[in-house]
Amino acid sequence: VQLQASGGGLVQTGGSLRLSCKASGNFISISTMAWFRQFPGKQRERIAVVHGGSSPDYADSVQGRFTIWRDIAEDTVYLQMRRLKPEDTAVYYCNANIRPFYSDFEEDYWGQGTLVTVSS
C-alpha cells in the first residue's frame, strides 16, 4: 500500500495550491485521511482530517482557508489551499488509516511529502 502525494510548489502570498494524495495497492478499506505539515526543526502537525462520511476538522491556523475532501471512488484525498501566507511554507504530508488485504486491522500510512513554498 502506498500514498502518492503531488501538487506542491512555489506560490505568491495570497495565492492558491491544490494538493492531492492517492492510495494504491492491495487494501480493503480506508477510514481516516488527513494532511499534516512540518516546519523545519518542528514536529508534524495535523492541519486537516476527514473521517469517512463525517465533516472535516481543521487546525485553527488553516480554518477558513484550506479545504479537505475525499474522492472515495478514486481513493484520493485533496487539500485546497487558499489565501496562502509565507508562514504556510512547509513540507506537507498526507496520511491515511488503511486496512491492507492481509490484515484485520488498519495501519497508518504516509505519503512522501511535498514542499509548499509561499513567497512574500
Side-chain angles (χ1 to χ4, degrees), residues 7-13 15-17 84 89 115-120:
L10 175 64
V11 64
Q12 290 186 332
T13 295
S16 299
L17 277 177
L84 283 160
T89 296
L115 177 63
V116 172
T117 303
V118 185
S119 63
S120 56

Side-chain angles (χ1 to χ4, degrees), residues 58-102:
Y58 299 94
D60 289 344
S61 57
V62 306
Q63 179 77 48
R65 299 188 299 123
F66 291 9
T67 303
I68 185 173
W69 75 96
R70 287 174 62 175
D71 183 331
I72 294 175
E74 294 294 326
D75 298 320
T76 300
V77 63
Y78 298 92
L79 185 70
Q80 179 68 51
M81 304 183 291
R82 298 182 178 87
R83 305 201 307 273
L84 283 160
K85 309 173 184 179
E87 51 264 43
D88 293 316
T89 296
V91 178
Y92 286 70
Y93 296 87
C94 59
N95 170 267
N97 298 131
I98 300 174
R99 182 183 168 193
F101 79 97
Y102 57 79

Side-chain angles (χ1 to χ4, degrees), residues 46-51 55-59 63 68:
R46 193 177 73 183
I47 57 171
V49 59
V50 58
H51 306 280
S55 297
D57 290 320
Y58 299 94
Q63 179 77 48
I68 185 173

Side-chain angles (χ1 to χ4, degrees), residues 9-53:
L10 175 64
V11 64
Q12 290 186 332
T13 295
S16 299
L17 277 177
R18 179 179 293 185
L19 306 182
S20 64
C21 177
K22 182 175 177 60
S24 63
N26 293 318
F27 56 88
I28 295 173
S29 61
I30 303 174
S31 58
T32 301
M33 300 189 86
W35 287 95
F36 287 67
R37 66 184 179 187
Q38 187 170 23
F39 302 113
K42 303 291 186 181
Q43 288 189 332
R44 276 178 211 182
E45 59 174 6
R46 193 177 73 183
I47 57 171
V49 59
V50 58
H51 306 280

